[in-house]
Amino acid sequence: MKETLKPGIKYEHKFLVSLSKTVPALYPESEEFAAMPEVFATGFLVGLLEWACIKAINPYIDWPKEQTVGTHIDVSHQAASPPGCEVTVAVELLVIDGRKLVFSVEAHDGVDLISKGRHERFVINKQKFDIKISEKAKLI
């Protein structure tokens, strides 16, 4: 982590919702999801919030040697967004506790506030992480 990684870093990310990011596309294997409305899926929304946090701090870490992984998410999904909506995500780094990073996150679809909450990420050394996961995979 670079010395410039400090609380207060803000980032805004825009994303156009496509049909491939709606509930039926989340798990195509699921008959239940396939029958649901074609609106921005909560699972994809969570990924978008994570993506914005990653983009916010990558200039402040030794990317790609250092990366971050999501460790906690506590967000609302309070309005449905159909394909064609442009979602704007605003994030702010609130707290740095060792390698733990805490963000406030918010998303708006141009009509409604669709999400608000907090997200935590943890800074990892990619090489060490990959070795650990490789060892775990051998146990399966």
Side-chain angles (χ1 to χ4, degrees):
M1 299 184 303
K2 299 176 183 175
E3 289 182 18
T4 53
L5 180 66
K6 297 186 182 309
I9 294 169
K10 294 180 180 182
Y11 185 78
E12 190 173 281
H13 188 74
K14 294 183 182 293
F15 182 78
L16 187 64
V17 176
S18 67
L19 197 57
S20 69
K21 297 299 183 261
T22 61
V23 177
L26 188 58
Y27 277 98
E29 308 84 354
S30 167
E31 179 181 321
E32 293 80 8
F33 279 157
M36 294 189 71
E38 291 179 338
V39 294
F40 194 33
T42 302
F44 289 124
L45 170 63
V46 167
L48 181 61
L49 297 170
E50 288 194 274
W51 186 13
C53 292
I54 291 166
K55 300 273 290 176
I57 55 111
N58 271 0
Y60 304 96
I61 62 175
D62 187 15
W63 173 266
K65 181 181 171 186
E66 288 181 316
Q67 296 183 13
T68 59
V69 292
T71 56
H72 187 83
I73 188 97
D74 182 10
V75 297
S76 63
H77 190 177
Q78 54 203 53
S81 305
C85 283
E86 183 178 62
V87 174
T88 301
V89 176
V91 304
E92 181 178 358
L93 179 58
L94 300 176
V95 175
I96 301 171
D97 182 8
R99 293 189 292 152
K100 182 173 92 171
L101 310 176
V102 180
F103 296 85
S104 68
V105 296
E106 190 171 294
H108 199 284
D109 68 8
V111 177
D112 293 309
L113 176 68
I114 63 169
S115 182
K116 189 171 185 164
R118 292 169 70 94
H119 175 48
E120 294 178 10
R121 301 192 67 74
F122 197 81
V123 179
I124 61 158
N125 174 295
K126 174 78 162 59
Q127 185 178 15
K128 289 179 182 178
F129 189 86
D130 286 347
I131 290 168
K132 204 174 202 181
I133 293 302
S134 177
E135 291 300 316
K136 185 174 183 175
K138 291 176 186 174
L139 301 174
I140 302 173

PDB file of all heavy atoms in Angstrom, residues 66-97:
ATOM      1  N   GLU A  66      -0.427  -6.101  -5.487  1.00  0.00           N
ATOM      2  CA  GLU A  66      -1.401  -5.992  -4.407  1.00  0.00           C
ATOM      3  C   GLU A  66      -2.780  -5.850  -5.035  1.00  0.00           C
ATOM      4  O   GLU A  66      -2.943  -5.162  -6.044  1.00  0.00           O
ATOM      5  CB  GLU A  66      -1.145  -4.748  -3.544  1.00  0.00           C
ATOM      6  CG  GLU A  66       0.066  -4.840  -2.667  1.00  0.00           C
ATOM      7  CD  GLU A  66       0.235  -3.588  -1.824  1.00  0.00           C
ATOM      8  OE1 GLU A  66       0.080  -2.470  -2.344  1.00  0.00           O
ATOM      9  OE2 GLU A  66       0.529  -3.752  -0.624  1.00  0.00           O
ATOM     10  N   GLN A  67      -3.744  -6.515  -4.456  1.00  0.00           N
ATOM     11  CA  GLN A  67      -5.125  -6.409  -4.898  1.00  0.00           C
ATOM     12  C   GLN A  67      -6.003  -6.370  -3.658  1.00  0.00           C
ATOM     13  O   GLN A  67      -5.507  -6.480  -2.540  1.00  0.00           O
ATOM     14  CB  GLN A  67      -5.497  -7.593  -5.806  1.00  0.00           C
ATOM     15  CG  GLN A  67      -4.706  -7.620  -7.092  1.00  0.00           C
ATOM     16  CD  GLN A  67      -5.103  -8.743  -8.022  1.00  0.00           C
ATOM     17  OE1 GLN A  67      -6.125  -9.398  -7.846  1.00  0.00           O
ATOM     18  NE2 GLN A  67      -4.290  -8.975  -9.035  1.00  0.00           N
ATOM     19  N   THR A  68      -7.312  -6.204  -3.870  1.00  0.00           N
ATOM     20  CA  THR A  68      -8.215  -6.241  -2.723  1.00  0.00           C
ATOM     21  C   THR A  68      -9.310  -7.260  -2.980  1.00  0.00           C
ATOM     22  O   THR A  68      -9.717  -7.475  -4.125  1.00  0.00           O
ATOM     23  CB  THR A  68      -8.855  -4.862  -2.438  1.00  0.00           C
ATOM     24  OG1 THR A  68      -9.591  -4.436  -3.580  1.00  0.00           O
ATOM     25  CG2 THR A  68      -7.799  -3.835  -2.085  1.00  0.00           C
ATOM     26  N   VAL A  69      -9.758  -7.873  -1.900  1.00  0.00           N
ATOM     27  CA  VAL A  69     -10.877  -8.816  -1.974  1.00  0.00           C
ATOM     28  C   VAL A  69     -11.979  -8.316  -1.052  1.00  0.00           C
ATOM     29  O   VAL A  69     -11.715  -7.744   0.006  1.00  0.00           O
ATOM     30  CB  VAL A  69     -10.454 -10.254  -1.593  1.00  0.00           C
ATOM     31  CG1 VAL A  69      -9.505 -10.836  -2.638  1.00  0.00           C
ATOM     32  CG2 VAL A  69      -9.818 -10.321  -0.216  1.00  0.00           C
ATOM     33  N   GLY A  70     -13.212  -8.518  -1.470  1.00  0.00           N
ATOM     34  CA  GLY A  70     -14.350  -8.127  -0.652  1.00  0.00           C
ATOM     35  C   GLY A  70     -14.494  -9.067   0.524  1.00  0.00           C
ATOM     36  O   GLY A  70     -14.365 -10.282   0.383  1.00  0.00           O
ATOM     37  N   THR A  71     -14.750  -8.488   1.703  1.00  0.00           N
ATOM     38  CA  THR A  71     -14.900  -9.302   2.910  1.00  0.00           C
ATOM     39  C   THR A  71     -16.235  -9.072   3.618  1.00  0.00           C
ATOM     40  O   THR A  71     -16.635  -9.889   4.439  1.00  0.00           O
ATOM     41  CB  THR A  71     -13.753  -9.024   3.900  1.00  0.00           C
ATOM     42  OG1 THR A  71     -13.722  -7.622   4.195  1.00  0.00           O
ATOM     43  CG2 THR A  71     -12.421  -9.471   3.324  1.00  0.00           C
ATOM     44  N   HIS A  72     -16.903  -7.971   3.296  1.00  0.00           N
ATOM     45  CA  HIS A  72     -18.196  -7.715   3.921  1.00  0.00           C
ATOM     46  C   HIS A  72     -18.968  -6.709   3.074  1.00  0.00           C
ATOM     47  O   HIS A  72     -18.381  -5.786   2.523  1.00  0.00           O
ATOM     48  CB  HIS A  72     -18.005  -7.144   5.332  1.00  0.00           C
ATOM     49  CG  HIS A  72     -19.282  -7.004   6.090  1.00  0.00           C
ATOM     50  ND1 HIS A  72     -19.864  -8.057   6.774  1.00  0.00           N
ATOM     51  CD2 HIS A  72     -20.114  -5.960   6.263  1.00  0.00           C
ATOM     52  CE1 HIS A  72     -20.987  -7.644   7.336  1.00  0.00           C
ATOM     53  NE2 HIS A  72     -21.164  -6.369   7.036  1.00  0.00           N
ATOM     54  N   ILE A  73     -20.273  -6.930   2.977  1.00  0.00           N
ATOM     55  CA  ILE A  73     -21.133  -6.001   2.250  1.00  0.00           C
ATOM     56  C   ILE A  73     -22.413  -5.824   3.054  1.00  0.00           C
ATOM     57  O   ILE A  73     -22.986  -6.794   3.544  1.00  0.00           O
ATOM     58  CB  ILE A  73     -21.421  -6.493   0.807  1.00  0.00           C
ATOM     59  CG1 ILE A  73     -22.145  -5.438  -0.014  1.00  0.00           C
ATOM     60  CG2 ILE A  73     -22.137  -7.803   0.759  1.00  0.00           C
ATOM     61  CD1 ILE A  73     -21.262  -4.618  -0.879  1.00  0.00           C
ATOM     62  N   ASP A  74     -22.817  -4.587   3.241  1.00  0.00           N
ATOM     63  CA  ASP A  74     -24.053  -4.275   3.965  1.00  0.00           C
ATOM     64  C   ASP A  74     -24.719  -3.125   3.213  1.00  0.00           C
ATOM     65  O   ASP A  74     -24.426  -1.953   3.480  1.00  0.00           O
ATOM     66  CB  ASP A  74     -23.740  -3.881   5.405  1.00  0.00           C
ATOM     67  CG  ASP A  74     -24.997  -3.599   6.218  1.00  0.00           C
ATOM     68  OD1 ASP A  74     -26.112  -3.886   5.737  1.00  0.00           O
ATOM     69  OD2 ASP A  74     -24.863  -3.076   7.341  1.00  0.00           O
ATOM     70  N   VAL A  75     -25.554  -3.484   2.253  1.00  0.00           N
ATOM     71  CA  VAL A  75     -26.173  -2.477   1.389  1.00  0.00           C
ATOM     72  C   VAL A  75     -27.649  -2.767   1.190  1.00  0.00           C
ATOM     73  O   VAL A  75     -28.091  -3.910   1.286  1.00  0.00           O
ATOM     74  CB  VAL A  75     -25.489  -2.386   0.005  1.00  0.00           C
ATOM     75  CG1 VAL A  75     -24.045  -1.941   0.135  1.00  0.00           C
ATOM     76  CG2 VAL A  75     -25.571  -3.696  -0.750  1.00  0.00           C
ATOM     77  N   SER A  76     -28.377  -1.722   0.884  1.00  0.00           N
ATOM     78  CA  SER A  76     -29.774  -1.867   0.490  1.00  0.00           C
ATOM     79  C   SER A  76     -29.835  -2.032  -1.022  1.00  0.00           C
ATOM     80  O   SER A  76     -28.884  -1.705  -1.733  1.00  0.00           O
ATOM     81  CB  SER A  76     -30.547  -0.605   0.883  1.00  0.00           C
ATOM     82  OG  SER A  76     -30.030   0.516   0.176  1.00  0.00           O
ATOM     83  N   HIS A  77     -30.953  -2.558  -1.492  1.00  0.00           N
ATOM     84  CA  HIS A  77     -31.282  -2.497  -2.924  1.00  0.00           C
ATOM     85  C   HIS A  77     -32.742  -2.090  -2.944  1.00  0.00           C
ATOM     86  O   HIS A  77     -33.636  -2.925  -2.884  1.00  0.00           O
ATOM     87  CB  HIS A  77     -31.054  -3.826  -3.640  1.00  0.00           C
ATOM     88  CG  HIS A  77     -31.159  -3.709  -5.120  1.00  0.00           C
ATOM     89  ND1 HIS A  77     -30.936  -4.774  -5.957  1.00  0.00           N
ATOM     90  CD2 HIS A  77     -31.452  -2.661  -5.928  1.00  0.00           C
ATOM     91  CE1 HIS A  77     -31.103  -4.386  -7.219  1.00  0.00           C
ATOM     92  NE2 HIS A  77     -31.419  -3.092  -7.220  1.00  0.00           N
ATOM     93  N   GLN A  78     -32.976  -0.786  -3.003  1.00  0.00           N
ATOM     94  CA  GLN A  78     -34.278  -0.240  -2.698  1.00  0.00           C
ATOM     95  C   GLN A  78     -35.109   0.215  -3.885  1.00  0.00           C
ATOM     96  O   GLN A  78     -36.239   0.658  -3.683  1.00  0.00           O
ATOM     97  CB  GLN A  78     -34.127   0.907  -1.684  1.00  0.00           C
ATOM     98  CG  GLN A  78     -33.158   1.979  -2.113  1.00  0.00           C
ATOM     99  CD  GLN A  78     -32.612   2.772  -0.939  1.00  0.00           C
ATOM    100  OE1 GLN A  78     -32.083   2.217   0.028  1.00  0.00           O
ATOM    101  NE2 GLN A  78     -32.743   4.079  -1.020  1.00  0.00           N
ATOM    102  N   ALA A  79     -34.608   0.094  -5.108  1.00  0.00           N
ATOM    103  CA  ALA A  79     -35.412   0.456  -6.285  1.00  0.00           C
ATOM    104  C   ALA A  79     -34.970  -0.397  -7.467  1.00  0.00           C
ATOM    105  O   ALA A  79     -33.794  -0.718  -7.607  1.00  0.00           O
ATOM    106  CB  ALA A  79     -35.261   1.936  -6.616  1.00  0.00           C
ATOM    107  N   ALA A  80     -35.930  -0.772  -8.286  1.00  0.00           N
ATOM    108  CA  ALA A  80     -35.655  -1.593  -9.471  1.00  0.00           C
ATOM    109  C   ALA A  80     -35.203  -0.706 -10.623  1.00  0.00           C
ATOM    110  O   ALA A  80     -35.729   0.385 -10.828  1.00  0.00           O
ATOM    111  CB  ALA A  80     -36.907  -2.367  -9.868  1.00  0.00           C
ATOM    112  N   SER A  81     -34.238  -1.213 -11.395  1.00  0.00           N
ATOM    113  CA  SER A  81     -33.694  -0.479 -12.538  1.00  0.00           C
ATOM    114  C   SER A  81     -33.786  -1.354 -13.785  1.00  0.00           C
ATOM    115  O   SER A  81     -33.159  -2.415 -13.843  1.00  0.00           O
ATOM    116  CB  SER A  81     -32.227  -0.117 -12.297  1.00  0.00           C
ATOM    117  OG  SER A  81     -32.083   0.591 -11.087  1.00  0.00           O
ATOM    118  N   PRO A  82     -34.547  -0.934 -14.802  1.00  0.00           N
ATOM    119  CA  PRO A  82     -34.650  -1.721 -16.028  1.00  0.00           C
ATOM    120  C   PRO A  82     -33.416  -1.543 -16.909  1.00  0.00           C
ATOM    121  O   PRO A  82     -32.655  -0.583 -16.732  1.00  0.00           O
ATOM    122  CB  PRO A  82     -35.893  -1.141 -16.711  1.00  0.00           C
ATOM    123  CG  PRO A  82     -35.947   0.274 -16.242  1.00  0.00           C
ATOM    124  CD  PRO A  82     -35.405   0.251 -14.835  1.00  0.00           C
ATOM    125  N   PRO A  83     -33.215  -2.455 -17.867  1.00  0.00           N
ATOM    126  CA  PRO A  83     -32.121  -2.274 -18.823  1.00  0.00           C
ATOM    127  C   PRO A  83     -32.245  -0.906 -19.493  1.00  0.00           C
ATOM    128  O   PRO A  83     -33.341  -0.414 -19.737  1.00  0.00           O
ATOM    129  CB  PRO A  83     -32.342  -3.401 -19.836  1.00  0.00           C
ATOM    130  CG  PRO A  83     -33.085  -4.445 -19.071  1.00  0.00           C
ATOM    131  CD  PRO A  83     -33.973  -3.683 -18.120  1.00  0.00           C
ATOM    132  N   GLY A  84     -31.105  -0.303 -19.752  1.00  0.00           N
ATOM    133  CA  GLY A  84     -31.068   1.020 -20.350  1.00  0.00           C
ATOM    134  C   GLY A  84     -30.783   2.115 -19.347  1.00  0.00           C
ATOM    135  O   GLY A  84     -30.390   3.217 -19.727  1.00  0.00           O
ATOM    136  N   CYS A  85     -30.962   1.827 -18.059  1.00  0.00           N
ATOM    137  CA  CYS A  85     -30.633   2.809 -17.015  1.00  0.00           C
ATOM    138  C   CYS A  85     -29.118   2.920 -16.893  1.00  0.00           C
ATOM    139  O   CYS A  85     -28.410   1.916 -16.952  1.00  0.00           O
ATOM    140  CB  CYS A  85     -31.172   2.379 -15.655  1.00  0.00           C
ATOM    141  SG  CYS A  85     -32.918   2.639 -15.419  1.00  0.00           S
ATOM    142  N   GLU A  86     -28.652   4.149 -16.690  1.00  0.00           N
ATOM    143  CA  GLU A  86     -27.243   4.329 -16.362  1.00  0.00           C
ATOM    144  C   GLU A  86     -27.138   4.459 -14.850  1.00  0.00           C
ATOM    145  O   GLU A  86     -27.707   5.375 -14.268  1.00  0.00           O
ATOM    146  CB  GLU A  86     -26.658   5.565 -17.040  1.00  0.00           C
ATOM    147  CG  GLU A  86     -25.173   5.716 -16.753  1.00  0.00           C
ATOM    148  CD  GLU A  86     -24.549   6.898 -17.457  1.00  0.00           C
ATOM    149  OE1 GLU A  86     -24.976   8.043 -17.162  1.00  0.00           O
ATOM    150  OE2 GLU A  86     -23.664   6.676 -18.294  1.00  0.00           O
ATOM    151  N   VAL A  87     -26.438   3.531 -14.246  1.00  0.00           N
ATOM    152  CA  VAL A  87     -26.252   3.542 -12.800  1.00  0.00           C
ATOM    153  C   VAL A  87     -24.943   4.255 -12.484  1.00  0.00           C
ATOM    154  O   VAL A  87     -23.899   3.946 -13.069  1.00  0.00           O
ATOM    155  CB  VAL A  87     -26.243   2.104 -12.227  1.00  0.00           C
ATOM    156  CG1 VAL A  87     -25.902   2.121 -10.742  1.00  0.00           C
ATOM    157  CG2 VAL A  87     -27.589   1.427 -12.465  1.00  0.00           C
ATOM    158  N   THR A  88     -25.019   5.205 -11.574  1.00  0.00           N
ATOM    159  CA  THR A  88     -23.832   5.917 -11.106  1.00  0.00           C
ATOM    160  C   THR A  88     -23.560   5.489  -9.675  1.00  0.00           C
ATOM    161  O   THR A  88     -24.434   5.589  -8.814  1.00  0.00           O
ATOM    162  CB  THR A  88     -24.059   7.446 -11.150  1.00  0.00           C
ATOM    163  OG1 THR A  88     -24.354   7.819 -12.496  1.00  0.00           O
ATOM    164  CG2 THR A  88     -22.825   8.188 -10.674  1.00  0.00           C
ATOM    165  N   VAL A  89     -22.362   4.983  -9.467  1.00  0.00           N
ATOM    166  CA  VAL A  89     -21.941   4.542  -8.135  1.00  0.00           C
ATOM    167  C   VAL A  89     -20.946   5.554  -7.592  1.00  0.00           C
ATOM    168  O   VAL A  89     -19.990   5.927  -8.279  1.00  0.00           O
ATOM    169  CB  VAL A  89     -21.291   3.142  -8.193  1.00  0.00           C
ATOM    170  CG1 VAL A  89     -20.757   2.734  -6.826  1.00  0.00           C
ATOM    171  CG2 VAL A  89     -22.268   2.108  -8.721  1.00  0.00           C
ATOM    172  N   ALA A  90     -21.169   6.004  -6.374  1.00  0.00           N
ATOM    173  CA  ALA A  90     -20.246   6.901  -5.686  1.00  0.00           C
ATOM    174  C   ALA A  90     -19.729   6.185  -4.445  1.00  0.00           C
ATOM    175  O   ALA A  90     -20.522   5.674  -3.647  1.00  0.00           O
ATOM    176  CB  ALA A  90     -20.950   8.202  -5.294  1.00  0.00           C
ATOM    177  N   VAL A  91     -18.405   6.124  -4.313  1.00  0.00           N
ATOM    178  CA  VAL A  91     -17.805   5.461  -3.158  1.00  0.00           C
ATOM    179  C   VAL A  91     -16.824   6.406  -2.484  1.00  0.00           C
ATOM    180  O   VAL A  91     -16.273   7.305  -3.122  1.00  0.00           O
ATOM    181  CB  VAL A  91     -17.096   4.138  -3.550  1.00  0.00           C
ATOM    182  CG1 VAL A  91     -18.058   3.199  -4.256  1.00  0.00           C
ATOM    183  CG2 VAL A  91     -15.868   4.374  -4.407  1.00  0.00           C
ATOM    184  N   GLU A  92     -16.641   6.184  -1.189  1.00  0.00           N
ATOM    185  CA  GLU A  92     -15.645   6.947  -0.435  1.00  0.00           C
ATOM    186  C   GLU A  92     -14.970   6.018   0.556  1.00  0.00           C
ATOM    187  O   GLU A  92     -15.645   5.276   1.278  1.00  0.00           O
ATOM    188  CB  GLU A  92     -16.281   8.114   0.316  1.00  0.00           C
ATOM    189  CG  GLU A  92     -15.270   8.930   1.096  1.00  0.00           C
ATOM    190  CD  GLU A  92     -15.856  10.129   1.815  1.00  0.00           C
ATOM    191  OE1 GLU A  92     -17.072  10.381   1.692  1.00  0.00           O
ATOM    192  OE2 GLU A  92     -15.078  10.811   2.527  1.00  0.00           O
ATOM    193  N   LEU A  93     -13.659   6.053   0.576  1.00  0.00           N
ATOM    194  CA  LEU A  93     -12.891   5.289   1.559  1.00  0.00           C
ATOM    195  C   LEU A  93     -12.996   6.007   2.901  1.00  0.00           C
ATOM    196  O   LEU A  93     -12.584   7.162   3.032  1.00  0.00           O
ATOM    197  CB  LEU A  93     -11.426   5.171   1.118  1.00  0.00           C
ATOM    198  CG  LEU A  93     -10.486   4.421   2.048  1.00  0.00           C
ATOM    199  CD1 LEU A  93     -10.950   2.987   2.292  1.00  0.00           C
ATOM    200  CD2 LEU A  93      -9.068   4.447   1.497  1.00  0.00           C
ATOM    201  N   LEU A  94     -13.582   5.332   3.877  1.00  0.00           N
ATOM    202  CA  LEU A  94     -13.818   5.936   5.190  1.00  0.00           C
ATOM    203  C   LEU A  94     -12.743   5.601   6.206  1.00  0.00           C
ATOM    204  O   LEU A  94     -12.331   6.459   6.994  1.00  0.00           O
ATOM    205  CB  LEU A  94     -15.168   5.475   5.750  1.00  0.00           C
ATOM    206  CG  LEU A  94     -16.415   5.803   4.951  1.00  0.00           C
ATOM    207  CD1 LEU A  94     -17.632   5.178   5.610  1.00  0.00           C
ATOM    208  CD2 LEU A  94     -16.574   7.305   4.797  1.00  0.00           C
ATOM    209  N   VAL A  95     -12.321   4.324   6.220  1.00  0.00           N
ATOM    210  CA  VAL A  95     -11.443   3.841   7.284  1.00  0.00           C
ATOM    211  C   VAL A  95     -10.386   2.915   6.688  1.00  0.00           C
ATOM    212  O   VAL A  95     -10.688   2.096   5.817  1.00  0.00           O
ATOM    213  CB  VAL A  95     -12.260   3.038   8.342  1.00  0.00           C
ATOM    214  CG1 VAL A  95     -11.350   2.424   9.395  1.00  0.00           C
ATOM    215  CG2 VAL A  95     -13.323   3.909   8.989  1.00  0.00           C
ATOM    216  N   ILE A  96      -9.170   3.049   7.189  1.00  0.00           N
ATOM    217  CA  ILE A  96      -8.095   2.096   6.903  1.00  0.00           C
ATOM    218  C   ILE A  96      -7.668   1.538   8.250  1.00  0.00           C
ATOM    219  O   ILE A  96      -7.242   2.279   9.140  1.00  0.00           O
ATOM    220  CB  ILE A  96      -6.902   2.761   6.199  1.00  0.00           C
ATOM    221  CG1 ILE A  96      -7.344   3.397   4.875  1.00  0.00           C
ATOM    222  CG2 ILE A  96      -5.785   1.739   5.976  1.00  0.00           C
ATOM    223  CD1 ILE A  96      -6.279   4.248   4.213  1.00  0.00           C
ATOM    224  N   ASP A  97      -7.825   0.226   8.420  1.00  0.00           N
ATOM    225  CA  ASP A  97      -7.457  -0.453   9.661  1.00  0.00           C
ATOM    226  C   ASP A  97      -6.506  -1.582   9.284  1.00  0.00           C
ATOM    227  O   ASP A  97      -6.940  -2.691   8.961  1.00  0.00           O
ATOM    228  CB  ASP A  97      -8.713  -0.983  10.349  1.00  0.00           C
ATOM    229  CG  ASP A  97      -8.425  -1.661  11.672  1.00  0.00           C
ATOM    230  OD1 ASP A  97      -7.268  -1.595  12.153  1.00  0.00           O
ATOM    231  OD2 ASP A  97      -9.359  -2.268  12.237  1.00  0.00           O
TER     232      ASP A  97
END
